[in-house]
Amino acid sequence: MEHDNIKSILEELIEICECEPENITVDGEPITFEGFQEDVIERVYNMADLLGLEDIYLDR
């Protein structure tokens, strides 16, 4: 899900990071560590895009 402002991304990241792992599911299945990383990095990339800083992940 693409966000249109940094505040909503940060709120969602905080919610994800404070949630008990067993309560996070993807398609009804408990999230894996890799899935957790993917969820977080997607939001970090979205923040970078909104800040005009795409180069920090495109240059990798």
Side-chain angles (χ1 to χ4, degrees):
M1 176 174 143
E2 291 288 315
H3 294 271
D4 60 355
N5 66 71
I6 301 295
K7 181 181 179 184
S8 68
I9 298 170
L10 289 172
E11 289 172 339
E12 196 168 274
L13 283 171
I14 290 168
E15 183 179 322
I16 291 169
C17 291
E18 288 181 342
C19 188
E20 294 295 325
E22 59 272 4
N23 294 332
I24 304 174
T25 59
V26 177
D27 298 327
E29 296 292 321
I31 196 166
T32 62
F33 181 73
E34 291 81 12
F36 177 80
Q37 284 181 308
E38 186 176 307
D39 278 359
V40 170
I41 200 67
E42 284 178 17
R43 286 157 181 87
V44 171
Y45 291 164
N46 191 186
M47 281 193 298
D49 291 343
L50 291 172
L51 293 169
L53 300 171
E54 302 88 355
D55 60 310
I56 62 175
Y57 68 88
L58 292 176
D59 290 343
R60 300 189 92 196

